[in-house]
Amino acid sequence: MAEEKKMVEQITDMEVDFAQWYTDVCVRAGLIAYSSVKGCMIIKPLGYAIWENIQAELDRRFKATGVENVYMPMFIPESLLQREKDHVEGFAPEVAWVTRGGLEDLQEKLCVRPTSETLFCDFYKDEIQSHRDLPKVYNQWCSVVRWEKTTRPFLRSREFLWQEGHTAHATEEEAEERTILMLNTYASFLEEFLAIPVIKGQKTDKEKFAGAKATYTVEALMHDGKALQSGTSHNFGDGFARAFGIQYSDKDNKLQYVHQTSWGVTTRMIGAMIMVHGDNRGLVIPPAAAPTQVIIVPIQQRKEGVLAKAQELAAALSGFRVKVDDSDKSPGWKFNECEMRGVPLRVEIGPRDIEAGTCVLVRRDTGEKKTVELSALVQTVGEELAAMQREMLERARKHLAAHTYEATDYETFKKTIEEKPGFVKAMWCGDQACEDRIKADVAATSRCMPFEQEHIADTCVCCGKPAKKLVYWGRAY
Amino acid sequence: MAEEKKMVEQITDMEVDFAQWYTDVCVRAGLIAYSSVKGCMIIKPLGYAIWENIQAELDRRFKATGVENVYMPMFIPESLLQREKDHVEGFAPEVAWVTRGGLEDLQEKLCVRPTSETLFCDFYKDEIQSHRDLPKVYNQWCSVVRWEKTTRPFLRSREFLWQEGHTAHATEEEAEERTILMLNTYASFLEEFLAIPVIKGQKTDKEKFAGAKATYTVEALMHDGKALQSGTSHNFGDGFARAFGIQYSDKDNKLQYVHQTSWGVTTRMIGAMIMVHGDNRGLVIPPAAAPTQVIIVPIQQRKEGVLAKAQELAAALSGFRVKVDDSDKSPGWKFNECEMRGVPLRVEIGPRDIEAGTCVLVRRDTGEKKTVELSALVQTVGEELAAMQREMLERARKHLAAHTYEATDYETFKKTIEEKPGFVKAMWCGDQACEDRIKADVAATSRCMPFEQEHIADTCVCCGKPAKKLVYWGRAY
C-alpha cells in the first residue's frame, strides 16, 4: 500500500501544474531520462518503442505514396548552408558547429544538420539531369540538432528524432500536390493512429519555414488549451533550385528548374500524445500505438495454477501485443505501474476468477472494470481496444470543439485568449503588423489559415481594416 | 545496344583492379553517391533499402534475446569521454569536436559520439540501484562519427550507420554469456541472411577494443582474399563500472559493481556483401536481403497484352518482393540494369512466350536461363530463390576454405601472405612483439584466435618460442 501511495504521489495533479505534470509523466512513466548533455534527453525503452510504432506506421503510409528512404550526411559545410539566403538566416543562429576533426582544426567549419534541404539540393543538382530523373521522392529518418535555449522532453530539445522528406518535381502543380498529400498523410495518421484531431491550414508568411514559398501545418490542441504544431509540409517553388542550380532538360530539351517540397514530423508527436490523452494517473496510450496493448496481472500468483492460467490467457491473446507481469511486486504496485505507463487494457486473474471461469478487464482511459467470461476474452479484448481507440479520438474532438472560440472585436479577442485557453477563430487583414501586435498584447500567434475558411466578420479583429482570411489564433508550445 | 555497351563498360574488371571494381559497383549500382562533405557518403535508395532489410532482421533476432531499444544523445562532453583511461586514448584522436552552439562558444566542448559506452555508463549509474534493476540489455540504432583520414564507401567513412548494444549484468558469467550470445547472433545472421561464412574468435590484446577485457570478432574473407572484420562483441568486465561508479545492492544488500558488454555491426556488412558475392556484371544480392527479389521485364511491351500479362504475373508473385520494369528503356538496357543492381531473379515475358504459355527465368548469380511454364512460375520462383540463397553461401564457404592456408615456419608464412591472398593459420607465442614484426614484414595482422583451436605446431611461427594459440593471420580492410 505504501508503495502504491508513493507511486501515485509521484505525479503532480495536472490541474495544479500542467507543466510539472507533463515532466512527471515523461520521467515516471519511463519515457525519458535526463542526460548530462544539457538540452538532450535519453529516450528509454517505453518512449522508444512508441517511436518505433509511429515510425513503422508512418513509413508504411509514406511508401504507399511512392516515397523512397535514403541517408544523407549529418554535417553541412558552412558554405553549403549559406547558399539559400532566407534559409541560412532562419537556421544559422541555432546550429551547433564542428570546428575540429581528429587532432586538426577544420579548414571549413561544419554544422550538425538542423534540417537537410541544402544537402538534398546539393545531391539533386548532380542526380537530376533529364525529365526522366523526375520526380525524386526521398525521405530520411534521422536526428537533427537545433541549439535551443529552453528545452522540454519531446517538445523542444537540442537533438531530436524526426523524418524529413525532400522531393523534386518537374512542375509547380506536381510539387503543390505532393505538399498537400503529405500534410493529409500526417493529419490522417495523427487522427487514426494517435487519436489526435488536427486543424489543417497554411502558415502566414511570418510563421512559414525559412526559404519556403508556402508552409502548411497540422495544429493540435493539448489538454491545457495550448496549441502544438504537430507536422509541417513546405512548398519551395523553384527557390532552392535556382539557388543550387538544379535543372533538368524537358521533353523538348529545354532546361527547366525543378520544383521542390519538404515535410517532417518529429518525436514531438509523442509529446502531443501525452498532453492530449494523459491523466492524473499517468500516460494513456492509444491502442494502435501501444507497445503493450494488454497486460495480464496474476492475483496471488504463488497460488497453484494462477501463473499457468495467466500464461494460457497470454497465449490465447497472442494476436495482440500482450505481456504477463509475473514480477514479485504487489498487485497494487503492478496496477499503478501499468496505469502510469499507459497500457490500454489490464486483465486481472486470480484463484476466485479461475474458479468462476472469468477474469476482470480494466480499461486505462475510462477506468471501467468488467467481469468477462474467459471463453469470451479474446473477442472482448479486440472489441475494447477498438472502442478505446475510437472513443479516445471522439473525446479529443469534443475537447477541441469545446475549446475553440470566435471573436469579432479586439476586446473580446484579448479577453478570450487571456481567460479561455484554446483556439480563437478571428478574421485577419493579412498584415504582419497585426500578428506582431497580438503577440505583444496577449502572447498569442497565428496558428494557421485553415483550409476550411469561414467568413465570421468583414474586418480584421485587430486593426479593423478589411479582412482577408480567417485565422486560428492561440498560445502555443 | 550502345546504351548496353556503355553500361557494361562502366565497371572495371574485378581481376584487373578490385578496388576500382568495388567503387564502380557502389556508384553504378546506385548504392551510394559522394557528398560534398569530405569522407561522408550519401546512401541512395537501393543501398538504404538493403540496410532496412538488414536492420529489420537483426532487430527481430535481437529482441528475441530480450534486447530493448533506446536512444542516447549524439554528443559526449569531453569530461565524460575521458572518464575511462584506455577508452579515451583509443578514441580521442579520431573524434569530431563541437565547440560552438548557436552564437556562443561552448564552455565544455562536445564530441560527436564515436561509440556510446560513456553515455550508457553515465545513464546506468543512475538507472541501476538494486539487483532488481538488472540485467539491462539495451541497444540503439544510430550514426556515429570517426574522423578517418582515408575513406571508402561502407568500409570506412567519417560517418556511418550501426547498432550498438550496451548491457549491464550482476555477474561476470552472465556478461560473458551475453557477449558470446551476440557474437553468435552476428555469425548466424551473416551466414543465413547475407550468405557470408565467418570465422568466430577472440582478438589479441593488441587488436581488442579500447577499454575491453575481451573482444570477440566475426571475420569474413572477401573475393580478393582480404579479411574484413564484420562484427565485434566486447566483455568489459567491471572496468567501466569502476570508472563510472555503477553499483547495485545485491540480495544481501551488499554493493557490487555491474559487469558490462557492448556489441555492434555497421553498414560495413553491405561492403562485405558486395565483395563476397559481386561479379563483373555488378552487384549480386542474396534473396533474403534483396529489396527486389524478382524483376519482370516485358519484351515488346507495346504489343497488346504484354504489359497486362507482366502485371498479372507480378500479382501472382506478390508473395515475393516483385517489380515490373515497364519503363521505356530497351530490354537490353533493363537486363544490364537489373544485373548491375543485383536483383536475384529476372522474368522475361514477350508475345512469343505468352503464346507458348511460358516465360524465361534468369538467375543473377549463375546467369542460368530456363523456360518455365507460367502455371509453375510461382513454385519455381520460390525454389530458385531458396536455391540461390543456399548456393551463394556454399560458394562463399568453398572460397573461404580454398583461401585458408597453414604455415609452420616463418619463410613459408611470409611467402604465403605475399603470394596467396587469404587467411594463414599459424601458431603464436602470445607475444605482441611477433604481431608487430609480422605487420612490419608483410603488412598482415592477427585477425583472431579462433574458437575452434587446432595444434598445427609446437612453436610460434614468428619467433620459435613455445606456441600458445592458433591464430588466423591476414591482410585486412
Side-chain angles (χ1 to χ4, degrees):
Chain A
M1 199 50 210
E3 273 176 336
E4 292 151 41
K5 231 161 131 284
K6 179 156 149 280
M7 198 137 183
V8 176
E9 276 169 4
Q10 281 159 336
I11 37 177
T12 305
D13 186 312
M14 68 198 308
E15 308 304 332
V16 173
D17 182 345
F18 192 77
Q20 189 56 50
W21 167 84
Y22 176 76
T23 315
D24 289 350
V25 170
C26 287
V27 174
R28 297 304 316 160
L31 294 172
I32 66 123
Y34 291 100
S35 78
S36 55
V37 187
K38 190 175 172 308
C40 297
M41 64 178 174
I42 292 162
I43 305 181
K44 291 172 67 174
L46 178 59
Y48 200 79
I50 294 169
W51 181 240
E52 285 180 314
N53 289 347
I54 286 174
Q55 243 187 322
E57 174 65 13
L58 261 180
D59 200 64
R60 192 183 63 71
R61 292 176 183 230
F62 289 167
K63 284 172 177 164
T65 72
V67 172
E68 297 182 291
N69 287 336
V70 298
Y71 187 77
M72 306 292 285
M74 72 153 79
F75 298 121
I76 306 174
E78 185 174 26
S79 56
L80 198 59
L81 185 69
Q82 289 172 338
R83 198 78 60 82
E84 207 285 333
K85 195 184 101 300
D86 299 334
H87 189 69
V88 64
E89 281 171 13
F91 284 101
E94 61 175 27
V95 296
W97 291 104
V98 173
T99 58
R100 281 181 69 79
L103 303 171
E104 292 153 14
D105 289 328
L106 302 184
Q107 288 165 338
E108 178 178 20
K109 63 181 178 183
L110 306 169
C111 79
V112 182
R113 65 183 159 218
T115 179
S116 305
E117 277 73 14
T118 53
L119 290 165
F120 273 90
C121 286
D122 190 46
F123 172 49
Y124 284 154
K125 122 185 149 305
D126 301 326
E127 288 284 304
I128 299 169
Q129 308 297 337
S130 137
H131 60 90
R132 288 185 173 181
D133 301 326
L134 294 172
K136 289 264 183 272
V137 186
Y138 291 167
N139 172 69
Q140 76 175 354
W141 294 91
C142 62
S143 76
V144 288
V145 169
R146 297 178 187 178
W147 219 251
E148 306 279 358
K149 289 205 172 30
T150 55
T151 61
R152 301 190 61 193
F154 297 117
L155 301 179
R156 180 169 269 94
S157 51
R158 288 185 169 178
E159 178 187 9
F160 57 89
L161 302 179
W162 79 343
Q163 63 61 221
E164 50 179 321
H166 297 270
T167 73
H169 307 271
T171 67
E172 205 175 334
E173 298 65 33
E174 206 184 302
E176 180 66 9
E177 224 171 80
R178 172 59 62 171
T179 314
I180 299 298
L181 171 65
M182 299 322 288
L183 191 80
N184 287 329
T185 303
Y186 292 151
S188 52
F189 170 79
L190 282 157
E191 301 210 338
E192 295 160 13
F193 198 77
L194 293 180
I196 298 173
V198 293
I199 308 295
K200 293 189 277 184
Q202 182 172 359
K203 287 287 187 188
T204 63
D205 286 349
K206 176 184 165 72
E207 300 291 335
K208 77 182 182 189
F209 181 83
K213 197 180 82 181
T215 290
Y216 303 101
T217 179
V218 282
E219 299 282 325
L221 195 67
M222 304 299 101
H223 181 85
D224 64 346
K226 274 200 193 163
L228 186 74
Q229 176 181 303
S230 303
T232 49
S233 187
H234 316 290
N235 183 341
F236 292 126
D238 60 7
F240 276 94
R242 289 176 183 278
F244 284 81
I246 312 172
Q247 290 183 294
Y248 69 95
S249 56
D250 65 15
K251 291 199 173 59
D252 316 324
N253 252 318
K254 280 209 207 68
L255 271 186
Q256 306 282 0
Y257 285 105
V258 300
H259 296 261
Q260 292 172 269
T261 82
S262 84
W263 25 276
V265 290
T266 77
T267 35
R268 192 169 231 230
M269 289 190 295
I270 297 176
M273 184 195 82
I274 298 166
M275 291 194 289
V276 167
H277 301 303
D279 64 24
N280 281 328
R281 304 190 67 74
L283 202 56
V284 182
I285 310 178
T292 301
Q293 297 172 308
V294 185
I295 190 145
I296 299 173
V297 179
I299 313 296
Q300 298 177 272
Q301 65 187 39
R302 275 173 218 74
K303 281 253 174 84
E304 207 207 323
V306 174
L307 270 184
K309 191 54 150 182
Q311 297 296 356
E312 183 189 319
L313 295 185
L317 291 168
S318 60
F320 309 99
R321 296 188 288 269
V322 63
K323 270 199 182 146
V324 175
D325 184 352
D326 57 3
S327 63
D328 56 7
K329 301 165 190 154
S330 73
W333 174 276
K334 293 177 184 180
F335 296 168
N336 284 314
E337 192 174 42
C338 66
E339 283 175 352
M340 175 79 80
R341 291 168 67 86
V343 180
L345 286 182
R346 177 171 87 229
V347 173
E348 306 170 5
I349 180 88
R352 261 189 262 89
D353 308 288
I354 295 173
E355 228 170 82
T358 61
C359 64
V360 176
L361 195 62
V362 187
R363 240 173 83 163
R364 174 62 184 88
D365 59 331
T366 56
E368 183 198 336
K369 280 189 175 215
K370 60 165 71 166
T371 302
V372 180
E373 298 286 328
L374 292 181
S375 56
L377 183 61
V378 174
Q379 191 192 345
T380 310
V381 163
E383 290 163 357
E384 289 293 334
L385 287 173
M388 181 169 167
Q389 183 78 31
R390 191 176 58 246
E391 291 166 23
M392 284 177 75
L393 176 58
E394 282 164 10
R395 275 194 298 275
R397 281 206 174 113
K398 285 205 186 78
H399 179 267
L400 170 59
H403 294 78
T404 302
Y405 308 94
E406 290 186 8
T408 52
D409 67 88
Y410 200 46
E411 285 319 304
T412 313
F413 178 82
K414 286 187 294 185
K415 201 166 182 303
T416 313
I417 290 281
E418 295 286 5
E419 294 170 7
K420 296 182 171 168
F423 286 125
V424 181
K425 295 196 277 180
M427 302 307 290
W428 176 54
C429 60
D431 185 345
Q432 189 177 318
C434 290
E435 288 180 275
D436 296 337
R437 181 175 164 199
I438 286 169
K439 189 161 194 179
D441 289 346
V442 289
T445 51
S446 66
R447 304 315 307 156
C448 71
M449 302 177 282
F451 291 158
E452 290 180 11
Q453 280 287 312
E454 302 164 64
H455 183 84
I456 63 175
D458 300 333
T459 58
C460 174
V461 75
C462 181
C463 68
K465 294 203 206 93
K468 289 214 181 82
K469 286 278 183 186
L470 176 87
V471 167
Y472 274 72
W473 304 85
R475 290 172 174 168
Y477 279 97
Chain B
M1 198 50 211
E3 273 176 335
E4 293 151 43
K5 219 156 139 295
K6 178 156 148 276
M7 196 137 187
V8 177
E9 277 167 5
Q10 280 159 339
I11 30 176
T12 306
D13 187 312
M14 68 199 305
E15 308 305 331
V16 172
D17 182 345
F18 192 77
Q20 189 55 51
W21 167 84
Y22 176 76
T23 314
D24 289 350
V25 170
C26 286
V27 173
R28 299 305 316 160
L31 294 172
I32 67 124
Y34 292 101
S35 79
S36 56
V37 187
K38 190 174 175 310
C40 297
M41 64 179 175
I42 293 162
I43 305 180
K44 291 172 67 174
L46 178 59
Y48 200 80
I50 294 169
W51 181 240
E52 285 180 313
N53 289 346
I54 287 174
Q55 242 187 324
E57 174 65 15
L58 259 181
D59 200 66
R60 193 183 62 71
R61 293 178 183 229
F62 289 166
K63 284 172 176 163
T65 72
V67 172
E68 297 182 289
N69 287 336
V70 299
Y71 187 78
M72 306 292 286
M74 73 155 77
F75 299 120
I76 307 174
E78 185 174 25
S79 55
L80 199 58
L81 185 68
Q82 290 172 338
R83 199 76 62 80
E84 208 286 335
K85 197 185 103 298
D86 299 335
H87 188 67
V88 65
E89 280 171 13
F91 284 102
E94 61 176 30
V95 296
W97 291 104
V98 173
T99 58
R100 280 182 70 79
L103 302 171
E104 292 152 12
D105 289 326
L106 302 184
Q107 289 163 338
E108 177 178 22
K109 62 182 178 180
L110 306 170
C111 78
V112 181
R113 63 180 162 220
T115 180
S116 304
E117 277 74 12
T118 53
L119 291 164
F120 274 89
C121 286
D122 190 47
F123 172 48
Y124 284 154
K125 125 185 145 307
D126 302 326
E127 288 285 302
I128 298 169
Q129 308 298 337
S130 138
H131 60 91
R132 288 184 173 184
D133 301 326
L134 294 172
K136 289 266 183 273
V137 186
Y138 292 167
N139 172 69
Q140 76 175 353
W141 293 93
C142 63
S143 75
V144 288
V145 169
R146 298 179 188 178
W147 217 252
E148 306 279 358
K149 291 204 170 32
T150 55
T151 61
R152 301 188 62 194
F154 297 116
L155 301 179
R156 179 169 273 95
S157 53
R158 285 184 170 178
E159 179 188 10
F160 57 89
L161 302 178
W162 79 343
Q163 69 54 226
E164 50 179 321
H166 296 270
T167 73
H169 307 272
T171 67
E172 206 177 330
E173 297 63 35
E174 206 184 301
E176 179 66 9
E177 225 170 78
R178 172 58 65 170
T179 314
I180 299 299
L181 172 64
M182 300 322 287
L183 190 80
N184 287 330
T185 303
Y186 292 152
S188 52
F189 170 80
L190 281 158
E191 300 209 339
E192 295 159 14
F193 197 77
L194 293 181
I196 298 173
V198 293
I199 307 296
K200 293 189 277 185
Q202 183 172 357
K203 287 285 187 188
T204 61
D205 286 349
K206 175 184 165 73
E207 301 290 334
K208 77 183 184 189
F209 182 84
K213 197 180 84 183
T215 288
Y216 302 103
T217 180
V218 281
E219 299 282 325
L221 195 66
M222 305 298 100
H223 181 83
D224 65 345
K226 273 200 198 165
L228 186 76
Q229 175 181 304
S230 303
T232 49
S233 187
H234 316 289
N235 183 341
F236 292 126
D238 60 7
F240 275 93
R242 289 177 183 276
F244 285 82
I246 311 171
Q247 291 183 292
Y248 69 96
S249 54
D250 64 17
K251 291 194 173 63
D252 316 324
N253 254 314
K254 281 209 208 67
L255 272 186
Q256 307 282 2
Y257 285 106
V258 299
H259 295 261
Q260 292 172 269
T261 83
S262 85
W263 26 274
V265 289
T266 77
T267 35
R268 194 169 229 233
M269 288 190 296
I270 297 175
M273 184 195 82
I274 299 166
M275 290 194 289
V276 167
H277 300 302
D279 64 24
N280 280 328
R281 302 189 70 74
L283 202 57
V284 182
I285 309 177
T292 301
Q293 297 172 308
V294 185
I295 189 146
I296 299 174
V297 179
I299 313 296
Q300 299 179 275
Q301 64 186 39
R302 275 173 218 74
K303 281 252 173 83
E304 207 206 326
V306 173
L307 269 184
K309 194 54 160 182
Q311 297 296 354
E312 184 190 318
L313 295 184
L317 291 168
S318 61
F320 308 97
R321 298 188 287 268
V322 62
K323 270 199 182 143
V324 174
D325 184 352
D326 58 3
S327 64
D328 56 8
K329 301 164 189 155
S330 73
W333 175 276
K334 293 177 184 179
F335 295 167
N336 284 314
E337 191 174 42
C338 66
E339 283 175 355
M340 176 79 80
R341 291 168 67 87
V343 180
L345 287 180
R346 178 172 85 228
V347 172
E348 306 171 5
I349 181 88
R352 260 189 263 90
D353 308 290
I354 295 172
E355 227 170 88
T358 60
C359 65
V360 176
L361 194 62
V362 186
R363 240 172 83 163
R364 173 62 182 89
D365 59 331
T366 56
E368 182 200 338
K369 277 188 176 216
K370 59 165 72 167
T371 301
V372 180
E373 297 285 330
L374 292 181
S375 57
L377 183 60
V378 175
Q379 193 195 340
T380 311
V381 163
E383 290 163 356
E384 289 293 333
L385 288 174
M388 181 170 167
Q389 184 78 30
R390 192 176 58 246
E391 291 165 25
M392 285 177 75
L393 177 59
E394 282 163 12
R395 274 194 298 275
R397 282 210 175 109
K398 285 206 186 76
H399 179 268
L400 171 59
H403 293 77
T404 304
Y405 309 94
E406 289 187 6
T408 51
D409 67 89
Y410 200 46
E411 284 319 303
T412 314
F413 179 84
K414 286 189 294 184
K415 199 166 184 303
T416 313
I417 292 279
E418 295 286 6
E419 295 170 9
K420 296 180 170 172
F423 286 125
V424 180
K425 295 195 277 182
M427 303 308 289
W428 177 54
C429 60
D431 185 345
Q432 191 178 313
C434 290
E435 287 179 274
D436 296 337
R437 182 174 162 197
I438 287 169
K439 190 161 192 180
D441 289 347
V442 290
T445 50
S446 66
R447 303 315 307 156
C448 71
M449 302 177 283
F451 290 159
E452 291 180 11
Q453 281 287 312
E454 302 162 65
H455 183 85
I456 61 172
D458 299 332
T459 57
C460 174
V461 75
C462 182
C463 68
K465 291 203 207 89
K468 288 213 181 81
K469 286 276 185 186
L470 177 86
V471 167
Y472 273 75
W473 303 87
R475 291 174 175 167
Y477 280 96

